[in-house]
Amino acid sequence: MIEFKNISKYYELKGQTIRALDQINLSIPEGSIFGIIGYSGAGKSTLIRLINLLESPNQGQIIINQTDFTALDARSLRQERANIGMIFQHFNLLQTKTVAANIEMPLKLLGIPKAEREKRLNELLEFIDLKHKKDAFPDELSGGQKQRVGIARALANHPKILLCDEATSALDPQTTKSVLALLKKINKEQNITIVMVTHEMDVIESICDYVAVMEQGKVIETGSTLEVFSQPKHPTTKNFIQTVLQQQLPFNILSNLENQNHHSIYSLQFLGTSAQETVVQAAIKQFDISLNILFANMTEINGAVIGQMFIQLLGDPEIIQQTIEFFKQNGVKIEQSGVTI
């Protein structure tokens, strides 16, 4: 368990106080993949760097597995940091060192004997499927291979926590999927807690169990990924989710349809079992209405399905209201032209 208790971090710049983090209270469950998302300048990278105290807070406590990191002396902090690995957006590999030397570096710094280093190196090269690149230099690797080397280096000392600061931002979509699959494998097979900073909501959707949304140094929303995706509360969260789920029709299309038939457009959101049932078909059969499907998509988060559909309902107002109640009774969230009803 990683806990932030009343954490604040600020800088003095040209006589002004810049608050990077403002009264953060956050809990990250052990063994989870936890995503921290926010726009540039939200404070997310500062927050993740506080976990291993690469940055120190001006106020508050950082407690990891019941140890208050903010109260440790330098020697004790170095020992605790050995349990935390970190991977970076731009890989941070040593360009003059081979793949093997880059991966071994943390073990060498810790004084691990050569035979033990070699054994661990071969295990990691096998795990990241880069044995054939053992003697290659970073300039000879693709972006995805470089990040795999970065991941192997972060895993060298058997950490309990893995920090990922925009780890996929410099990668193409296909390589991103590959790296995310590797991180998920690490989490499941080695029970390593992974904390991911990103500005990409599809990364959160792909592998995170929980998410915290940041804005201007504050956590504005947090919860399970499924909960946040299905019931976003803050406008910024809704904007991020919009990049993954189509939650609005294009303005011109919506305007044209509304001009033809006022207040006839509805958004349906299906969650869990309701996303797999033929609720729409049942409504068409039961009620004397015209129901036109304008757009539909589905996504899966941690095994649960979220579906989004835009429909046009035409007919007698009383029967339309009955249809709306029918959807609600069947676990479907329904909105009219962006206004909850």
Side-chain angles (χ1 to χ4, degrees):
M1 172 78 79
I2 302 169
E3 294 181 87
F4 295 88
K5 292 189 173 182
N6 300 315
I7 287 291
S8 290
K9 175 69 178 179
Y10 51 84
Y11 304 94
E12 296 295 331
L13 183 64
K14 296 180 180 179
Q16 290 187 320
T17 300
I18 308 298
R19 281 196 172 271
L21 298 172
D22 189 7
Q23 291 293 303
I24 300 290
N25 287 282
L26 189 65
S27 295
I28 298 175
E30 185 177 357
S32 68
I33 304 180
F34 195 102
I36 301 170
I37 190 165
Y39 294 115
S40 179
K44 56 191 187 297
S45 290
T46 301
L47 186 66
I48 199 173
R49 288 166 66 85
L50 287 176
I51 294 175
N52 55 4
L53 287 194
L54 290 178
E55 299 262 8
S56 298
N58 295 100
Q59 177 186 329
Q61 296 173 290
I62 298 158
I63 300 174
I64 301 178
N65 296 328
Q66 301 180 335
T67 298
D68 184 352
F69 270 43
T70 48
L72 295 176
D73 57 36
R75 182 173 178 276
S76 299
L77 181 58
R78 282 195 300 272
Q79 291 175 337
E80 292 292 342
R81 277 179 176 156
N83 294 318
I84 303 174
M86 192 164 189
I87 60 175
F88 306 88
Q89 178 179 359
H90 297 296
F91 322 124
N92 286 20
L93 302 181
L94 298 171
Q95 298 300 311
T96 59
K97 300 289 185 180
T98 64
V99 165
N102 268 282
I103 294 173
E104 278 189 289
M105 184 62 66
L107 300 177
K108 203 168 183 180
L109 292 173
L110 289 169
I112 305 298
K114 184 176 180 180
E116 192 175 334
R117 293 202 312 266
E118 277 287 326
K119 180 175 181 293
R120 182 59 176 155
L121 170 65
N122 289 325
E123 289 173 354
L124 289 166
L125 287 169
E126 182 78 33
F127 184 73
I128 63 172
D129 195 24
L130 283 180
K131 289 189 79 171
H132 60 296
K133 294 289 186 179
K134 178 179 180 180
D135 297 318
F137 288 87
D139 284 346
E140 302 172 63
L141 306 178
S142 68
Q145 289 171 336
K146 289 177 184 177
Q147 196 56 287
R148 285 174 177 267
V149 174
I151 290 170
R153 180 183 58 189
L155 294 175
N157 197 41
H158 301 280
K160 297 174 184 176
I161 297 168
L162 184 60
L163 307 180
C164 306
D165 191 359
E166 298 281 9
T168 60
S169 295
L171 305 176
D172 63 76
Q174 194 57 43
T175 306
T176 292
K177 286 183 181 179
S178 163
V179 169
L180 292 178
L182 179 60
L183 291 173
K184 194 162 190 174
K185 182 181 179 183
I186 290 166
N187 172 255
K188 297 304 177 189
E189 293 184 2
Q190 302 181 33
N191 196 37
I192 293 175
T193 303
I194 298 178
V195 185
M196 301 194 68
V197 156
T198 183
H199 62 273
E200 301 167 306
M201 201 64 178
D202 52 355
V203 170
I204 302 292
E205 174 203 18
S206 297
I207 68 168
C208 291
D209 304 305
Y210 301 91
V211 59
V213 185
M214 292 192 67
E215 187 173 73
Q216 296 180 342
K218 296 178 180 289
V219 172
I220 56 173
E221 192 160 351
T222 187
S224 72
T225 305
L226 180 60
E227 176 189 350
V228 171
F229 262 80
S230 60
Q231 297 179 328
K233 296 176 177 64
H234 196 279
T236 297
T237 309
K238 292 177 182 179
N239 287 339
F240 274 118
I241 292 173
Q242 174 68 21
T243 64
V244 177
L245 297 178
Q246 182 68 35
Q247 293 187 308
Q248 293 178 344
L249 286 176
F251 178 78
N252 288 339
I253 295 175
L254 182 60
S255 296
N256 290 337
L257 291 168
E258 281 288 293
N259 287 336
Q260 294 169 21
N261 295 279
H262 200 46
H263 296 318
S264 64
I265 310 302
Y266 296 83
S267 165
L268 308 181
Q269 188 179 88
F270 307 82
L271 178 62
T273 55
S274 70
Q276 303 169 50
E277 295 169 356
T278 55
V279 180
V280 173
Q281 186 178 354
I284 293 171
K285 287 182 177 179
Q286 184 167 334
F287 301 100
D288 183 20
I289 54 168
S290 174
L291 190 155
N292 302 316
I293 297 176
L294 306 173
F295 173 86
N297 73 348
M298 300 178 76
T299 190
E300 186 174 336
I301 298 173
N302 291 333
V305 176
I306 295 179
Q308 187 82 17
M309 183 181 290
F310 288 90
I311 63 172
Q312 184 177 44
L313 283 178
L314 300 172
D316 182 273
E318 187 175 337
I319 297 178
I320 287 177
Q321 190 58 42
Q322 291 173 9
T323 307
I324 290 168
E325 293 304 319
F326 173 81
F327 280 126
K328 289 181 177 179
Q329 289 165 11
N330 282 275
V332 179
K333 182 181 176 182
I334 181 166
E335 296 180 343
Q336 181 185 64
S337 297
V339 180
T340 303
I341 57 176

